[in-house]
Amino acid sequence: MKLKNKIGIYLFSLLGLLIVSCNKDFLDEELTTQYSTDYLDTPEGIEELTRSLYGNIRWHFGYEWAYGMTLYGTDEFTNANDLTNEMWNTYDNRLGPLGATPETGAANKNATSPAQLWDQLYYGISSANTIIAKAPEVMTDEVTRNRSLAHAYFLRGYNYYRLTAQYGSVVLQTEPAEGVVRNFTRPTAEECWEQVISDFRKAYELFEGEVFTYGKGITWTKATAAHFLAKALLFRASERNQDWNSSYIDADLKEAIEVSTYAINARGPLTPDYNDLYSNWTGVDCEIEQLDEILMAAGHNADGSTNGRFGNRTYNYFNPQFSSFSGGWVRRGVWIGGMDFQRCRPTEYSYAVFDHVNDSRMWKTFKTVYGANNVAEEGHDVQPGDPGIVMILNTKDDRTYDNYTFGAFVQNPDWTDDQGRLAEWKIGERQTPTSGGLTSETGQWVPNSLVLYQNGEYVAPTFKNQPICNFFAGINKTDDGSRQAEKGDAHRDVTMARLAETYLVRAECYIRLNQFGQAMNDINEVRRRAQWKSGENRSYYTDGGMAFENNALNTGTAAENYINSNLNMNTYYLSNPDIAVTTEASSLELTSFPNDLPEEDEDVLARVGASSQYERALHFILNERTRELLGEWQRWETLSRTGTLVRRAQAFNPEAAAGITANKHELRPIPQAFIDGLLNDDGTNLSASDKAAWQNQGY
């Protein structure tokens, strides 16, 4: 339904759009409206505003909305015992246009409102509109003018991409607005995607190839625009738009393949070791933040301009509540790369979708061992630096641990081997990427231990549940040991797009064109990087906590805690008890597609009822995206786009299954405060029916 002259949007004054600048000196200027207007009539002002666009994207990772709107309520993550954003996972009636507050049933004041993404992205759009309008007038140098325009078109396209992906049709404002505007025509979703694609196309045309204007690893380039143009074209051609997109599909998929190929050729090959993408983060602006594979990142460092209100808080969201496990054997602190806020608990699917033996990504992503930095009980043989928490990620058909008793240690003076002792662990010397002595010899008692399966049943959620499990293997892609305080901002960049996804986007386009052989080639490029290389120690683990080695706080007791907490080991051999210790290469390459898929994929396909060639291929791509991109801030969008959100959430996320509703939860609610502020052309308020027509279905 298209509504004319009935709706509006709060846009922002010139002063408002300027204060989002990421340049500290610029923020310190005396920002009167007159001064700001004059400054934007100069090349220097437009260049400064262009730089500020990089500040707009940091917002995405500054608070609870980072995971609430992107990861919750999907097949990959569910909530643990912390209920801050529970409604985004359970789809209950608190997920609505008003937003959740303690008064409306939220657990605390930190719950994410649908209005937060909406409001913030229009700030960036306002800045982009100003650049697009003024750059041709005030910038005479063609290179700098095109550079500013490329950035403005890209940021506007990106923000409208995020808005349209989340809310469906949204207000399109493509010219600077004076003050507050409150009546607009609501476009259709088709018109919104046309605007997104148009902006990305213009950015793609204007960028100077792979020229890192503002610093490698941060600067958007032609490949960045190509990647997101391909994603936007694929989105328009996907299932969520099937009511109107039939005339676009063929051309969109072919164009997406073309621009994806540019990005792959310009920025390839993939980084050889998956660890280098996230785990080997050694500190501020380190080498892995400059990798060619990274196409877009939210830039953070030790400068105060990247900290504060929208500093990087993502290290909080993926760890279990390790410090509260019985006995308190592992104390939290800056020496461990992440805080234990237990927001994002992996589902059974997120473990089971991996090949536990041959896929190195599993063991380079999940943190399964914490060293004891606090000897909490006397009379046991645990010493500082011994394993304090161990999580065995076995498979459903493994019967090794059927008769073991796992769980959190409870003081018991009559302790015996059948009351919680983990008797299949022996700590060897500290692990390195190529050596170390971890085997499955018996002898080491571990105070807190977990296993995924016993007797063929998924039992992991039964450990430390109060009432929801807070004991799980978290992921390490955001860990940061450079923080200056336990709850201080992280200093590492947040990767927002990388080349491995470009391969999977292109593969999906080939699938939709029934070119399965071409799709398999792209998939195998990603899977070859994921397989173990000859000489790798499969017991080795590391994460960004290693940056603590270069942290000024790394002295005294803190230094001891760092050494004792981070053992550089995983539970590979405990989780795969039939595998002998080896440093041989493994293989993950497909030889047939979409038939004869790996066992872990066939299990998923059976659960979701994927039977046709197309459905098998599509769901395989969704599985591969999990293995490659787990936790990378886009799962809800991907499942909504492909029309698989409800099916996969119901299949794999027990907390979401009861509440998620088809034809409603594929879109987010439009913020009620926005709707209530709309006026008719004559200045009168909208009627109740007009307001209802603006809101998305079901809300």
Side-chain angles (χ1 to χ4, degrees):
M1 179 178 183
K2 188 170 182 177
L3 304 177
K4 289 188 176 293
N5 300 320
K6 292 289 187 182
I7 59 178
I9 184 170
Y10 287 104
L11 294 173
F12 305 93
S13 69
L14 194 57
L15 176 60
L17 67 89
L18 278 173
I19 63 174
V20 302
S21 172
C22 64
N23 182 287
K24 188 176 180 181
D25 294 335
F26 188 54
L27 285 174
D28 290 339
E29 296 285 359
E30 182 183 356
L31 291 178
T32 66
T33 303
Q34 182 60 48
Y35 177 84
S36 301
T37 302
D38 292 343
Y39 192 50
L40 289 180
D41 286 329
T42 68
E44 294 79 13
I46 294 299
E47 177 69 10
E48 200 67 61
L49 190 55
T50 300
R51 290 176 181 271
S52 82
L53 301 181
Y54 286 92
N56 187 244
I57 65 172
R58 286 204 301 270
W59 172 88
H60 294 283
F61 308 105
Y63 214 53
E64 306 277 347
W65 49 72
Y67 68 88
M69 301 185 79
T70 61
L71 302 178
Y72 262 7
T74 68
D75 51 2
E76 291 182 348
F77 288 101
T78 186
N79 59 276
N81 197 52
D82 181 274
L83 304 180
T84 296
N85 269 325
E86 180 188 27
M87 69 292 301
W88 290 88
N89 184 56
T90 59
Y91 297 98
D92 61 47
N93 59 14
R94 294 171 297 170
L95 180 60
L98 292 173
T101 65
E103 292 73 26
T104 60
N108 53 58
K109 294 180 180 180
N110 297 330
T112 296
S113 166
Q116 288 169 312
L117 181 74
W118 180 280
D119 291 344
Q120 190 65 29
L121 295 197
Y122 278 109
Y123 272 110
I125 289 166
S126 295
S127 298
N129 285 342
T130 298
I131 295 169
I132 291 168
K134 286 185 173 288
E137 298 175 0
V138 305
M139 303 184 83
T140 57
D141 180 76
E142 183 179 10
V143 171
T144 56
R145 180 177 65 246
N146 286 347
R147 190 173 290 168
S148 290
L149 287 170
H151 278 77
Y153 280 119
F154 176 78
L155 191 278
R156 190 172 73 180
Y158 177 78
N159 281 9
Y160 274 128
Y161 176 94
R162 288 295 308 274
L163 287 166
T164 307
Q166 288 278 329
Y167 302 101
S169 60
V170 298
V171 170
L172 296 176
Q173 173 66 19
T174 58
E175 297 178 355
E178 293 291 336
V180 175
V181 181
R182 298 175 66 175
N183 66 316
F184 274 82
T185 297
R186 186 184 189 185
T188 63
E190 181 176 2
E191 290 169 325
C192 289
W193 284 115
E194 180 57 36
Q195 182 63 52
V196 171
I197 290 166
S198 173
D199 280 347
F200 282 146
R201 279 177 179 150
K202 289 174 182 175
Y204 180 68
E205 293 166 1
L206 288 166
F207 274 123
E208 311 159 68
E210 305 315 293
V211 177
F212 298 99
T213 312
Y214 301 120
K216 189 175 181 183
I218 294 297
T219 295
W220 310 327
T221 69
K222 191 178 186 72
T224 314
H227 175 87
F228 281 97
L229 174 55
K231 289 187 67 171
L233 290 161
L234 178 57
F235 208 127
R236 184 164 68 178
S238 294
E239 283 77 0
R240 203 176 84 179
N241 297 321
Q242 63 187 0
D243 290 344
W244 54 263
N245 67 1
S246 59
S247 64
Y248 295 98
I249 292 175
D250 188 69
D252 279 359
L253 295 176
K254 290 175 179 176
E255 184 181 356
I257 289 170
E258 177 185 346
V259 294
S260 295
T261 300
Y262 168 80
I264 288 168
N265 291 342
R267 298 290 283 273
L270 297 179
T271 301
D273 184 358
Y274 195 79
N275 262 336
D276 284 339
L277 293 169
Y278 298 101
S279 302
N280 289 331
W281 192 79
T282 58
V284 178
D285 295 332
C286 64
E287 290 184 0
I288 73 168
E289 293 188 346
Q290 320 305 318
L291 295 172
D292 284 339
E293 180 168 342
I294 299 173
L295 301 177
M296 184 178 181
H300 294 270
N301 53 42
D303 188 275
S305 65
T306 69
N307 300 328
R309 182 170 176 234
F310 294 144
N312 180 358
R313 302 297 178 86
T314 59
Y315 66 91
N316 288 313
Y317 302 134
F318 294 107
N319 275 308
Q321 201 174 20
F322 58 82
S323 67
S324 72
F325 294 167
S326 296
W329 298 85
V330 182
R331 293 177 297 191
R332 69 188 188 188
V334 291
W335 49 82
I336 295 178
M339 286 285 285
D340 57 348
F341 283 14
Q342 52 146 347
R343 299 296 201 264
C344 296
R345 176 165 61 97
T347 62
E348 178 186 6
Y349 158 83
S350 287
Y351 302 121
V353 75
F354 286 91
D355 179 332
H356 289 218
V357 173
N358 298 305
D359 196 330
S360 74
R361 291 173 297 192
M362 181 173 196
W363 303 102
K364 295 175 180 179
T365 297
F366 287 104
K367 185 179 180 73
T368 57
V369 178
Y370 293 79
N373 57 36
N374 179 42
V375 178
E377 296 288 339
E378 299 295 331
H380 300 294
D381 56 356
V382 176
Q383 301 297 318
D386 284 349
I389 301 170
V390 168
M391 305 176 190
I392 296 176
L393 308 185
N394 64 338
T395 56
K396 189 172 185 177
D397 58 358
D398 174 44
R399 311 309 293 265
T400 303
Y401 302 105
D402 286 359
N403 297 318
Y404 282 64
T405 301
F406 292 88
F409 165 68
V410 178
Q411 186 173 3
N412 185 340
D414 301 318
W415 199 270
T416 59
D417 284 353
D418 63 353
Q419 290 179 289
R421 193 179 293 261
L422 177 59
E424 287 291 325
W425 178 278
K426 178 68 175 178
I427 188 171
E429 64 266 27
R430 193 172 297 271
Q431 307 292 286
T432 73
T434 58
S435 66
L438 177 64
T439 68
S440 56
E441 299 174 23
T442 61
Q444 180 69 47
W445 175 71
V446 176
N448 295 279
S449 54
L450 168 148
V451 69
L452 294 185
Y453 294 95
Q454 289 181 304
N455 300 302
E457 297 293 326
Y458 183 60
V459 296
T462 67
F463 301 115
K464 200 71 169 64
N465 53 333
Q466 49 174 18
I468 301 171
C469 178
N470 65 351
F471 193 176
F472 52 87
I475 69 172
N476 65 8
K477 293 181 176 181
T478 61
D479 284 353
D480 184 342
S482 76
R483 307 185 322 274
Q484 293 299 298
E486 185 178 75
K487 297 181 181 180
D489 290 329
H491 299 135
R492 68 182 297 174
D493 297 346
V494 182
T495 299
M496 301 175 71
R498 55 187 179 85
L499 204 61
E501 187 195 4
T502 317
Y503 273 105
L504 296 178
V505 166
R506 190 170 72 173
E508 186 179 336
C509 292
Y510 283 132
I511 286 169
R512 291 173 182 274
L513 293 171
N514 293 313
Q515 298 177 23
F516 296 117
Q518 292 284 75
M520 186 174 74
N521 291 339
D522 279 347
I523 293 166
N524 279 337
E525 282 292 331
V526 175
R527 289 175 68 86
R528 272 192 290 272
R529 193 256 300 279
Q531 59 204 23
W532 295 106
K533 309 302 186 296
S534 178
E536 281 193 279
N537 177 13
R538 301 186 187 187
S539 293
Y540 177 71
Y541 168 88
T542 190
D543 59 43
M546 73 166 72
F548 193 69
E549 295 177 9
N550 301 314
N551 191 322
L553 300 177
N554 186 12
T555 60
T557 302
E560 295 176 7
N561 284 333
Y562 170 69
I563 294 171
N564 292 333
S565 304
N566 298 278
L567 304 184
N568 299 119
M569 58 179 60
N570 61 41
T571 62
Y572 177 87
Y573 290 110
L574 291 174
S575 304
N576 298 295
D578 296 330
I579 302 298
V581 176
T582 180
T583 57
E584 294 182 358
S586 66
S587 177
L588 287 176
E589 290 190 54
L590 302 177
T591 58
S592 175
F593 184 75
N595 298 314
D596 301 320
L597 296 175
E599 181 180 354
E600 58 271 12
D601 289 287
E602 293 290 358
D603 289 345
V604 171
L605 269 55
R607 288 280 297 273
V608 298
S611 57
S612 69
Q613 293 286 89
Y614 170 71
E615 280 202 322
R616 287 175 58 82
L618 177 64
H619 282 276
F620 179 89
I621 284 286
L622 295 175
N623 294 349
E624 195 64 35
R625 289 182 70 96
T626 293
R627 292 182 283 253
E628 181 67 26
L629 304 169
L630 182 65
E632 296 186 32
W633 320 110
Q634 53 182 299
R635 188 61 172 184
W636 184 91
E637 164 199 308
T638 300
L639 298 188
S640 175
R641 171 179 65 80
T642 54
T644 60
L645 175 65
V646 174
R647 193 191 323 185
R648 290 180 73 106
Q650 288 177 337
F652 302 118
N653 186 335
E655 286 72 32
I660 193 168
T661 302
N663 300 319
K664 174 181 179 181
H665 289 126
E666 289 92 344
L667 294 176
R668 305 304 197 183
I670 304 297
Q672 191 63 42
F674 160 74
I675 296 176
D676 289 343
L678 304 180
L679 299 176
N680 293 310
D681 284 346
D682 61 5
T684 59
N685 293 323
L686 296 190
S687 67
S689 61
D690 285 340
K691 288 183 178 183
W694 171 259
Q695 188 54 261
N696 283 328
Q697 181 178 344
Y699 296 103

